[in-house]
Amino acid sequence: MRNSKDAVLELHVSPGDTVVPNLGAARFDTPKQSASFTSDEAGVLAGISKDSLTAEGAQPIFFEEAGPRARLFFNPHNTKLAIVTCGGICPGVNDVIRAIVMEAHHHYGVAATLGIRYGLRGFIPACRHDVLEFTPRAVAEIHEFGGTILGSSRGPQPVDEIVDALERLNISVLVMIGGIGTLRAASAIQGEIAARGISVAIVCIPKTVDNDIHFVSPTFGFRTAAEQATEAIACAHVEALGAPYGIGLVKLMGRQAGFIAAEASMGLKHVNFVLVPEERFALAGPGGVLEALEKRLRTRGHAVIVAAEGAGQHLTPGTGRFDPSGNPLLADVGALLAGEIKAYCKEKGLPINLKVIDPSYIVRAVPANTADSVYCGFLGRLAVHAGLAGKTGLMIGCVNDRFVHVPLPLVIGDRKHIDIASDYWQAVLDSTGQPRLPRPRSNPPEQTVGPWGAGKPPAANGSPHWYSVTIPAC
């Protein structure tokens, strides 16, 4: 089933899929002072639509609620906690790091909080990266800066060497901040830890400006990136208005999901066309992008186009190359569109003035705005609560505006995408005036590969009591 008001594809979830692994029984009273602790029995309903609860054979699905526990698996005073940031940078990473350090030090009194430099490379002795020991003073002002104080990297590292390092450093809780690739790496690391029979908790905080991770709406930094993107769109609008038949073309981040392009376009209102990876549009031919653009130029004299970096890849043969994380290296949609627009308009006798703006890395390098900064604080603190309680193999998620523990198998299989049949995408079309674009007649095969495994969407693990959960996009 699918609720048309939502903006992502449905997932099949059973009650057993939401069970969070525990390292063992809670043995220690928490030193944290709190007016309210969260019980392991506390749950957050996954689906809130009428269809989710009344479908034949449906059984309510609950996620374990995140929050501080009164009893802990680890004795904080004998516990080392480590933080690692992986993949691309994102607004708010430093806010998350700061929140983890402050919570662990001030409210739990952990023995040490370590920072692993440059992603998973920092665990590998051959890479020769130093390990940082964080104090509250060291992180007091890092939230004022973009990026990550720890540095980051892409690409897989040997799982056995990572776990060797965890044992060597006597780390009991590892907080991993990253996207889908990082979550898959975390799952592999947890598997090796379980095989060795050691007690190390793996807790993940989802990080991606693309907002393409299920069961967290939105990911931290997404709102900041979308807000930053509107500045580029405003410039494109000024350029388009400044010349007859002016066109402003803005290329934004969004490798496989076009949420930044969609959100920024709806926020600024100056955009006429939004091209995203989820919609395989026809460029030429009746009703295609070029024909619609010509109509816009002849009637209004200018146009603004926003394209996510992953849009239009179906119009190219593909590069056949991948980055160290296994993500396909994309063809340049900005150059593709600019070339096709110039050729088409020359043929039609339209003397266009085209300006291409690419702020891709600018939108992710800025500090988090106020809303994202507050959000990051919650995520960091909740990760500490979960790890010290002995929860493992989980991601801190947000479902129905409540923070929850999401087992990693539910999120590593597939990315969240805009559903172009949804009310969310219709809102984009209504805001821009963009027509429904025809699909191309044929598409080349997609490039999908990853060093941690491509994975598949979660399925109903044999239980008859499952239903489709539709997660809101933003």
Side-chain angles (χ1 to χ4, degrees):
M1 73 195 72
R2 177 173 63 199
N3 184 340
S4 64
K5 294 185 180 300
D6 296 323
V8 294
L9 300 179
E10 59 190 12
L11 294 174
H12 298 298
V13 181
S14 73
D17 292 329
T18 61
V19 176
V20 175
N22 281 279
L23 293 176
R27 301 170 293 172
F28 302 98
D29 290 330
T30 182
K32 180 178 174 62
Q33 300 296 310
S34 176
S36 177
F37 290 102
T38 304
S39 166
D40 282 350
E41 284 67 48
V44 175
L45 190 64
I48 58 174
S49 69
K50 182 177 180 180
D51 287 344
S52 295
L53 298 175
T54 59
E56 184 178 354
Q59 178 176 329
I61 309 295
F62 294 92
F63 284 101
E64 183 178 275
E65 189 165 6
R69 267 47 178 180
R71 299 273 293 174
L72 306 177
F73 176 80
F74 293 107
N75 180 353
H77 304 304
N78 299 327
T79 297
K80 284 185 179 179
L81 181 149
I83 309 166
V84 64
T85 57
C86 306
I89 62 173
C90 175
V93 180
N94 281 336
D95 298 73
V96 173
I97 294 171
R98 185 184 189 278
I100 293 170
V101 174
M102 294 298 191
E103 183 69 21
H105 179 90
H106 289 301
H107 298 285
Y108 285 100
V110 299
T113 303
L114 306 180
I116 308 301
R117 301 299 309 279
Y118 301 112
L120 297 178
R121 288 172 51 91
F123 286 112
I124 309 304
C127 295
R128 305 178 66 85
H129 296 309
D130 293 334
V131 175
L132 302 180
E133 183 167 352
F134 282 132
T135 63
R137 178 173 293 184
V139 301
E141 298 178 355
I142 64 172
H143 61 292
E144 299 176 9
F145 305 97
T148 163
I149 191 175
L150 288 173
S152 191
S153 67
R154 295 187 183 275
Q157 304 297 334
V159 173
D160 59 337
E161 291 192 36
I162 294 172
V163 179
D164 287 345
L166 292 173
E167 291 194 272
R168 184 171 59 252
L169 294 168
N170 196 28
I171 292 169
S172 297
V173 178
L174 175 61
V175 180
M176 301 180 64
I177 306 170
I180 287 291
T182 303
L183 300 179
R184 289 172 179 160
S187 183
I189 292 167
Q190 184 208 352
E192 177 66 15
I193 289 170
R196 296 190 188 189
I198 59 178
S199 294
V200 180
I202 303 296
V203 179
C204 297
I205 295 177
K207 171 200 64 65
T208 168
V209 290
D210 289 351
N211 190 35
D212 60 357
I213 299 177
H214 286 293
F215 302 110
V216 54
S217 298
T219 50
F220 77 82
F222 166 70
R223 299 293 193 196
T224 302
E227 181 180 299
Q228 188 74 14
T230 62
E231 297 184 14
I233 295 173
C235 293
H237 185 237
V238 170
E239 291 285 356
L241 288 174
Y245 301 116
I247 303 172
L249 171 59
V250 181
K251 175 187 170 185
L252 295 175
M253 299 193 79
R255 184 186 292 114
Q256 297 185 44
F259 289 111
I260 291 180
E263 200 83 358
S265 297
M266 286 193 290
L268 200 59
K269 317 297 185 191
H270 294 322
V271 180
N272 309 115
F273 299 92
V274 183
L275 306 178
V276 295
E278 294 88 343
E279 184 176 48
R280 297 192 169 216
F281 53 85
L283 191 59
V289 172
L290 296 174
E291 184 179 88
L293 175 61
E294 179 190 4
K295 181 178 179 181
R296 164 77 192 184
L297 291 173
R298 292 192 184 280
T299 57
R300 299 298 301 275
H302 70 281
V304 175
I305 305 168
V306 171
E309 61 182 321
Q313 298 302 308
H314 59 285
L315 302 172
T316 74
T319 65
R321 296 180 292 123
F322 301 87
D323 70 15
S325 293
N327 300 305
L329 293 177
L330 304 176
D332 186 348
V333 66
L336 168 69
L337 290 172
E340 293 289 342
I341 290 170
K342 289 177 181 177
Y344 179 85
C345 291
K346 181 178 181 180
E347 180 183 339
K348 296 293 182 177
L350 276 173
I352 63 169
N353 191 306
L354 174 64
K355 297 293 188 296
V356 181
I357 300 175
D358 184 354
S360 294
Y361 293 105
I362 294 175
V363 305
R364 74 178 195 178
V366 297
N369 63 19
T370 300
D372 268 330
S373 184
V374 172
Y375 186 25
C376 290
F378 277 103
L379 293 172
R381 293 188 293 271
L382 291 168
V384 176
H385 301 329
L388 292 176
K391 310 290 182 181
T392 190
L394 66 93
M395 177 192 80
I396 304 298
C398 186
V399 174
N400 300 329
D401 293 327
R402 301 287 291 275
F403 290 105
V404 296
H405 296 155
V406 183
L408 291 179
L410 278 181
V411 291
I412 62 176
D414 194 15
R415 296 177 187 270
K416 181 170 65 177
H417 302 283
I418 296 174
D419 177 1
I420 61 172
S422 67
D423 285 355
Y424 180 82
W425 183 243
Q426 186 59 51
V428 175
L429 301 183
D430 292 344
S431 175
T432 60
Q434 175 177 321
R436 288 274 177 178
L437 299 171
R439 294 175 62 86
R441 293 184 179 180
S442 62
N443 299 316
E446 295 185 55
Q447 303 178 73
T448 54
V449 71
W452 303 103
K456 294 181 180 180
N461 77 5
S463 169
H465 300 296
W466 61 269
Y467 65 4
S468 300
V469 180
T470 314
I471 307 301
C474 298

